[in-house]
Amino acid sequence: VQLQASGGGLVQSGGSLRLSCGASGDTLDDYGVGWFRQAPGNEREGVAFISSSDDSTNYARSVKGRSTISRDSAKNMVYLQMNSLKPEDTGVYYCAASTFTMATLPDFYEYWGRGTQVTVSS
């Protein structure tokens, strides 16, 4: 499966963005999908995850309550809605697909898309 993340940009603190992850080559419903982010000098960290079995979700503590991950099966897309953005949310955001039902660590993801830059200004 090939993935492409989009929707990043420059936004003021407190603003919102919706990131999109488009897939080709396979059905994204068959994969656990995660959003990860990486800030300069930092390791890649998991942000939000959605299960392939029942669309249950899991979030990093840093974004819980401010973010929502969801699927659109008809469009073969996964989204990450982020609200109340903070400067510490700045980074390159990647979507990834895993053959595991749900995984929170990047090592369990086999397929990665190119990232999209999110910059939150204070």
Side-chain angles (χ1 to χ4, degrees):
V1 61
Q2 292 80 46
L3 304 174
Q4 178 65 56
S6 61
L10 174 63
V11 63
Q12 288 188 335
S13 181
S16 297
L17 281 175
R18 188 178 80 157
L19 306 184
S20 299
C21 178
S24 60
D26 207 346
T27 302
L28 206 51
D29 283 357
D30 294 338
Y31 297 86
V33 177
W35 283 96
F36 296 80
R37 68 186 179 194
Q38 188 165 20
N42 290 356
E43 292 186 354
R44 192 169 296 187
E45 64 168 335
V47 174
F49 316 92
I50 189 164
S51 167
S52 60
S53 62
D54 60 1
D55 283 354
S56 57
T57 58
N58 194 4
Y59 298 92
R61 189 175 302 177
S62 57
V63 303
K64 196 168 187 177
R66 302 188 293 120
S67 298
T68 303
I69 186 171
S70 61
R71 289 184 190 269
D72 185 334
S73 299
K75 295 182 178 179
N76 210 23
M77 302 278 289
V78 169
Y79 302 102
L80 180 65
Q81 176 70 42
M82 299 191 297
N83 302 320
S84 302
L85 283 162
K86 305 174 182 180
E88 50 264 44
D89 293 319
T90 294
V92 178
Y93 282 69
Y94 301 87
C95 64
S98 173
T99 53
F100 288 90
T101 302
M102 179 183 283
T104 59
L105 297 177
D107 287 351
F108 290 98
Y109 284 80
E110 297 96 330
Y111 307 99
W112 292 82
R114 289 189 176 183
T116 185
Q117 176 71 45
V118 171
T119 303
V120 184
S121 62
S122 57

